[in-house]
């Protein structure tokens, strides 16, 4: 259990982390997300007692890290894969760390085997690839068989096999009852690995919640509805019926309809009532990446811009040098935006992020003894909730890949109601 | 984009599963009634995701002590090449030059000076190796980032510095003293006769243990400076200044009458002069031990500053 209370760190005039309070609980993989420079590594260093907080405190298992009786036996950490003396062999590196905390030398060979470095154990770590360095760092974190594990970007540089291994390994560690705290930039990876998310931006807490809830709070879940082609009348009829029932309907490029604010069964009922046949009725829930982008777009410090190559263009001075009107006339982003929604459309789903926590709760009783899906209400009550609705103010930002059209067959998770569907699925999975 | 999502959708499920079957005291039927309160009562903050208690390692956890840190630092210092290189160069310089001098001198050269003299020339150069090693022992950790790994493995920072200092000092003292003893005894063996001045036990002690201590203390001072500056090149340059400036500056200071006394004192306590005294290179020089204690005082001060900074600063 890691517990931070009012954690603040200032470097001169720059505030790296401000008033950060969170808990990382055992038995789950907790993802730690944030844009570059948002204070993730600083927070990790403060947890490990390497940096002293300017204000607030952080404890691991109830103790400040530097007061732990035998820290490596309680907390294992991978901060930086290259934080190794390159001239020392992998085995010697681990051996000196083991000796420091009184861990028997044979444990070194054990962890070398766990991370698969036994064949290069006697090679200098200078020659290691980034992926091998990560493995060595993970081995060092595992040395003390600790209860709490911190990993800063553990999959950087790993091959696909290694990524899969780390993913399953983290889950396994969490399933054993350990506290696993992982930071990463790879959203797809986080979505697969983490159970819980702590998101920070500019050093402040943006979200502290279950992955699933994070996605539904920070993205517009919608249903895709398609009526038979070549019969616009049906489409009109359905649009009218859905709007009347309180749903927001937006046309999509391919002729389908994007419906927000209505659960799938209700859409089906309405269509039936209006005597409209449906060719498609599919739920869409945004990916973690989309949700993350939406949440953090206001907190990104380092944003890339289009390379205009202005200086070079002047040198060329030829009128026809850029026939396409711009260096990236067919930039990959451009067509993608158009497929989404007609320009200038405000997306109602974004303006009102769905599902205030209370609406989720009623769905809960159907899941006996599983407090998890219903639980997050506790989290949004914290400063998190206000942040989420605030982000939709910027749907005009065109560069963000907001909810692109999705293929069908997404698991159901429309804003409020499909709680039931969600549940049945979860139960199947069990 | 879809594939990861779909998998993600199920990912959180397994960890959530156990609590469902976990608490048998709450039958499924009871849950619906209890549920409206449940989110408030037992949200995720209080309930672990997995149905297992916090993990406890089967390997017993025990208190660590300085011995662990010493073992670790010994592993560290012997497993990098810079140690091997600097120490071998030091031994080569001290013993090589010493034996060369010894071989190229005749018995008559030792009528006024003791036979421990040849060790002096090599030590003048060899001390720079020890200075370099002393700096590298700590700054290489800062340079590579290893220090963060080390201090995560042992948050007792002072203990780490103590272990480093002890291991380094013992190693450099042993090596230097052995090299000097080799030179001293070889010279005594090569040059003997009626006119040759046999070294008194006092002189012998100064030329071996004394000089070894002096050089190792200089190394320890380098380690302290390295710990404070946390930068290899900066710390080595600083230490070169500490070693060389007191030997060079007095020449200028003594030009002015008012600074003459300061210049003389500085010269007396400069590293070459202190070593010269320890080797009794000249009758007029003192035993060299005052300079040794002076250096010990400076080193102790630097170490205290290093401890304070290490405890206080962010790594």
């Amino acid at each position: 259990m890691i517990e931070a209370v009012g954690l603040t760190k200032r470097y001169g005039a720059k505030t790296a982390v401000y008033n950060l309070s969170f808990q990382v609980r055992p038995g789950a993989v907790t993802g730690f997300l944030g844009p570059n420079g948002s204070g993730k590594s600083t927070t990790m260093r403060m947890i490990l007692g390497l940096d002293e907080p300017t204000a607030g405190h952080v404890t691991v298992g109830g103790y400040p890290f530097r007061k732990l009786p035998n820290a490596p036996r309680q907390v294992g950490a991978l901060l930086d894969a290259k934080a190794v003396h390159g001239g020392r062999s992998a085995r010697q590196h681990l051996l000196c760390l083991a000796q420091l905390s009184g861990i028997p030398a044979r444990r070194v060979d054990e962890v070398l085997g766990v991370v698969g470095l036994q064949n290069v154990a006697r090679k200098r770590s200078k020659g290691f690839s980034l992926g091998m360095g990560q493995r060595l760092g993970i081995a060092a974190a595992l040395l003390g068989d600790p209860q709490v594990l911190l990993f800063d970007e553990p999959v950087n540089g790993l091959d696909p096999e290694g990524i899969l291994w780390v993913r399953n390994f983290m889950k396994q560690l969490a399933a054993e009852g350990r506290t696993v705290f992982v930071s990463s930039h790879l959203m797809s990876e986080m979505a697969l690995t983490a159970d819980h998310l702590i998101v920070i931006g500019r050093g402040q807490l943006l979200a502290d919640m279950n992955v699933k809830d994070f996605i539904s709070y920070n993205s517009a879940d919608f249903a895709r509805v398609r009526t038979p082609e070549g019969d616009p009348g049906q489409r009109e009829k359905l649009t009218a019926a859905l709007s009347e029932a309180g749903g927001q309907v937006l046309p999509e490029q391919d002729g389908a309809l994007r419906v927000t604010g209505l659960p799938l069964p209700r859409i089906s009922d309405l269509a039936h009532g209006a005597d409209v046949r449906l060719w498609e009725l599919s739920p869409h829930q945004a990916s973690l990446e989309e949700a993350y982008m939406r949440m953090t777009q206001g907190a990104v410090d380092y944003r890339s811009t289009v390379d205009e190559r202005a200086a070079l263009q002047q040198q060329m001075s030829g009128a026809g040098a850029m026939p396409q009107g711009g260096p990236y006339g067919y930039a990959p982003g451009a067509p993608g935006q158009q497929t989404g929604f007609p320009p200038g459309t405000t997306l109602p789903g974004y303006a009102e992020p769905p599902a205030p926590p209370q609406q989720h709760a009623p769905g809960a009783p159907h899941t006996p003894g599983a407090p998890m899906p219903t639980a997050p209400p506790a989290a949004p009550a914290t400063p998190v909730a206000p942040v989420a609705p605030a982000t939709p103010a910027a749907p005009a930002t065109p560069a963000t890949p907001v909810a692109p059209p999705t293929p069908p067959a997404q698991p159901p998770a429309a804003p409020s109601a499909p709680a039931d569907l969600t549940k049945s699925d979860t139960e199947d999975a069990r | 984009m879809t594939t990861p999502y779909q998998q993600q959708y199920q990912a959180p499920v397994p960890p959530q599963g156990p609590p469902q079957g976990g608490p048998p005291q709450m039958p499924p039927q009871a849950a619906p009634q209890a549920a409206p309160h449940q989110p408030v009562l037992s949200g995720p903050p209080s309930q672990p995701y997995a149905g297992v208690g916090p993990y406890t390692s089967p390997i017993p956890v025990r208190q660590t002590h300085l011995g662990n840190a010493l073992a670790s630092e010994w592993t560290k210092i012997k497993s990098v090449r810079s140690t091997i290189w600097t120490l071998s160069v030091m031994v080569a310089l001290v013993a090589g030059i010493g034996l060369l001098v010894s071989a190229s001198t005749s018995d008559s050269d030792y009528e006024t000076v003791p036979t421990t003299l040849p060790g002096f020339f090599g030590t003048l150069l060899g001390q720079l190796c020890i200075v370099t090693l002393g700096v590298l022992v700590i700054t290489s950790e800062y340079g590579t980032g290893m220090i963060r790994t080390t201090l995560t493995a042992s948050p007792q920072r002072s203990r780490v510095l103590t272990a480093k200092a002890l291991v380094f000092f013992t190693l450099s003292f042993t090596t230097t003293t052995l090299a000097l003893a080799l030179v001293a005894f070889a010279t005594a063996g090569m040059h003997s006769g009626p006119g040759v001045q046999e070294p008194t036990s006092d002189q012998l002690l100064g030329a071996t243990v004394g000089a070894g201590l002096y050089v190792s203390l200089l190394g320890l001072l380098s380690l302290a400076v390295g710990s404070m500056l946390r930068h290899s090149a900066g710390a080595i340059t600083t230490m070169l200044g500490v070693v060389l400036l007191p030997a060079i500056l007095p020449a200028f200071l003594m030009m002015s009458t008012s600074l003459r006394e300061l210049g003389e004192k500085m010269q007396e306590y400069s590293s070459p002069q202190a070593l010269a005294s320890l080797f009794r290179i000249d009758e007029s020089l003192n035993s060299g031990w005052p300079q040794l204690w002076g250096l010990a005082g400076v080193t102790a001060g630097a170490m205290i500053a290093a401890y304070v900074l290490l405890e206080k600063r962010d790594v």
Side-chain angles (χ1 to χ4, degrees):
Chain A
M1 170 83 116
I2 304 170
E3 195 165 8
V5 181
L7 213 53
T8 301
K9 180 72 185 176
R10 289 195 191 86
Y11 295 105
K14 180 164 168 56
T15 304
V17 172
Y18 181 70
N19 198 19
L20 202 56
S21 299
F22 60 83
Q23 289 188 343
V24 185
R25 291 177 303 281
V29 178
T30 303
F32 192 32
L33 307 180
N36 287 344
S38 58
K40 294 192 299 293
S41 295
T42 307
T43 307
M44 288 235 175
R45 283 204 303 273
M46 285 194 282
I47 294 173
L48 294 172
L50 295 173
D51 284 13
E52 195 63 29
T54 314
H57 65 270
V58 56
T59 55
V60 180
Y63 290 94
F65 185 83
R66 288 178 71 179
K67 298 275 183 299
L68 282 169
N70 188 341
R73 296 302 317 280
Q74 321 269 356
V75 185
L78 160 70
L79 275 191
D80 177 3
K82 289 286 161 192
V84 167
H85 192 302
R88 209 168 272 135
S89 74
R91 194 175 182 284
Q92 297 282 3
H93 170 71
L94 293 173
L95 182 62
C96 75
L97 293 177
Q99 287 171 330
L100 200 50
S101 41
I103 297 164
R106 62 173 189 281
R107 174 75 186 150
V108 170
D109 299 311
E110 259 172 44
V111 293
L112 277 169
V114 169
V115 300
L117 287 181
Q118 53 289 60
N119 294 333
V120 288
R122 298 188 188 273
K123 294 242 163 64
R124 290 174 196 285
S125 60
K126 203 180 285 175
F128 281 15
S129 68
L130 183 54
M132 288 158 82
Q134 294 283 11
R135 286 169 187 266
L136 182 58
I138 293 171
L142 294 175
L143 261 184
D145 195 24
Q147 188 188 321
V148 177
L149 285 151
L150 284 87
F151 298 102
D152 198 359
E153 306 278 351
V155 296
N156 267 8
L158 282 181
D159 51 14
E161 191 272 334
I163 292 177
L164 183 68
W165 167 68
V166 166
R167 184 193 304 156
N168 291 329
F169 192 58
M170 305 239 159
K171 286 189 198 169
Q172 183 204 325
L173 291 171
E176 288 169 358
R178 300 187 219 234
T179 307
V180 183
F181 194 41
V182 193
S183 85
S184 180
H185 286 124
L186 296 176
M187 287 303 134
S188 52
E189 203 40 53
M190 263 300 129
L192 290 169
T193 316
D195 307 315
H196 197 91
L197 287 182
I198 292 175
V199 184
I200 64 172
R202 299 228 169 101
Q204 300 190 48
L205 191 68
L206 293 181
D208 177 359
M209 55 173 77
N210 188 297
V211 172
K212 199 141 50 80
D213 297 303
F214 177 82
I215 295 170
S216 45
Y217 290 145
N218 293 290
S219 60
D221 298 335
F222 61 88
R224 245 175 80 87
V225 183
R226 225 148 54 82
T227 52
E229 273 162 34
D231 191 354
Q234 293 226 325
R235 204 172 148 206
E236 306 280 299
K237 226 157 75 176
L238 182 63
T239 309
L242 292 176
S243 306
E244 204 176 306
Q248 287 97 14
V249 186
L250 286 169
E252 290 212 341
Q253 284 280 307
D254 61 349
L257 294 173
R258 173 184 289 225
V259 183
T260 45
L262 287 175
L264 294 196
R266 181 109 176 84
I267 295 174
S268 176
D269 289 350
L270 286 167
H272 186 73
D275 201 19
V276 176
R277 278 176 301 129
L278 297 184
W279 276 16
E280 180 188 339
L281 174 58
S282 61
H284 174 275
Q285 193 182 30
S287 70
L288 176 61
E289 184 167 30
E290 293 167 70
Y292 170 81
M293 292 293 196
R294 291 198 60 76
M295 163 158 277
T296 57
Q297 60 187 341
V300 173
D301 281 325
Y302 308 104
R303 198 189 294 277
S304 52
T305 56
V306 172
D307 178 5
E308 304 211 347
R309 294 187 280 192
L312 298 174
Q313 276 183 331
Q314 277 167 3
Q315 281 171 4
M316 279 196 274
S317 74
M322 286 290 164
Q324 291 173 355
Y328 294 107
Y330 291 101
Q337 287 162 26
Q338 286 160 10
T339 44
F341 349 89
T345 321
T346 24
L347 296 172
Y350 294 149
E352 305 163 41
Q358 294 78 0
Q359 288 182 355
H360 264 275
H366 303 299
T367 40
M372 245 43 273
T374 71
T382 62
V384 174
V387 182
T391 41
T397 317
T400 350
V402 210
T406 12
Q410 290 280 349
S416 48
D420 304 17
L421 296 171
T422 319
K423 296 299 145 45
S424 63
D425 263 28
T426 22
E427 258 148 23
D428 286 348
R430 283 168 198 140
Chain B
M1 195 172 277
T2 39
T3 323
Y5 163 62
Q6 282 173 324
Q7 288 173 26
Q8 171 271 328
Y9 181 67
Q10 297 184 348
V13 172
Q16 286 176 11
Q20 212 176 14
Q25 67 273 27
M26 193 201 280
Q29 300 92 322
Q33 290 92 337
H37 303 284
Q38 228 177 11
V40 191
L41 290 175
S42 58
S46 55
Q47 190 137 5
Y49 276 64
V52 291
Y55 178 79
T56 36
S57 172
I59 314 164
V61 176
R62 51 180 195 75
Q63 286 278 347
T64 51
H65 46 79
L66 183 63
N68 298 126
L70 285 173
S72 168
E73 290 303 330
W74 174 239
T75 306
K76 275 187 196 171
I77 205 167
K78 71 178 181 184
S79 60
V80 290
R81 273 188 284 198
S82 59
T83 311
I84 312 297
W85 279 112
T86 45
L87 283 183
S88 351
V89 170
M90 191 276 292
V91 170
L93 284 171
V94 171
I97 296 181
L99 293 178
L100 212 64
V101 170
S102 174
S104 58
T105 46
S106 61
D107 289 0
S108 56
D109 293 326
Y110 296 96
E111 277 161 12
T112 52
V113 289
T115 51
T116 50
L117 175 76
F120 169 68
F121 307 103
T123 312
L124 272 184
L125 289 171
Q127 65 178 349
L128 297 181
C129 296
I130 297 291
V131 163
T132 310
L133 180 62
V135 166
L136 283 181
V137 160
I138 185 105
T139 56
S140 72
E141 293 224 10
Y142 282 103
T144 56
M146 175 74 187
I147 189 76
R148 286 193 287 278
T149 312
T150 303
L151 294 186
T152 307
S154 170
Q156 295 83 4
R157 299 181 182 179
S158 297
R159 184 195 289 170
V160 172
L161 185 57
T162 307
K164 264 189 197 307
L166 279 175
V167 166
F168 164 75
F169 185 83
T170 313
L171 180 65
S172 60
F173 174 69
T174 314
T175 325
T176 321
T177 308
L178 283 179
L180 285 170
L182 173 76
V183 175
F185 288 112
T187 314
M190 284 199 266
H191 303 284
S192 53
V196 172
Q197 191 181 331
E198 290 277 325
T200 62
S201 64
D202 208 27
Q203 284 171 333
L204 194 62
L205 195 72
T208 53
V209 175
L213 266 179
Y214 190 90
V215 171
S216 309
L217 278 173
L218 211 55
L220 199 56
L221 179 63
S222 315
L223 194 150
V225 168
S227 174
M228 288 188 273
L229 296 183
R230 310 197 280 193
H231 190 270
S232 304
I236 290 177
T237 312
T238 306
M239 282 312 294
L240 285 183
V242 168
V243 172
L244 297 179
L245 273 187
I248 298 165
L249 264 187
F252 300 99
L253 291 177
M254 280 189 228
M255 284 188 226
S256 130
T257 43
S258 55
L259 292 173
R260 190 175 182 84
E261 209 158 301
L262 176 69
E264 275 170 359
K265 210 69 188 161
M266 194 181 267
Q267 185 160 45
E268 190 186 344
Y269 278 85
S270 74
S271 158
Q273 190 82 356
L275 282 172
S277 305
L278 283 165
F279 281 100
R280 300 295 159 78
I281 216 164
D282 196 282
E283 296 283 334
S284 64
L285 296 171
N286 68 1
S287 67
W289 290 96
Q291 284 95 322
L292 191 65
W293 299 132
L295 180 64
V298 171
T299 306
M303 281 303 286
I304 289 168
Y307 275 117
V308 171
L309 282 175
L310 183 68
E311 284 291 340
K312 211 184 70 187
R313 280 196 297 207
D314 290 344
V315 182

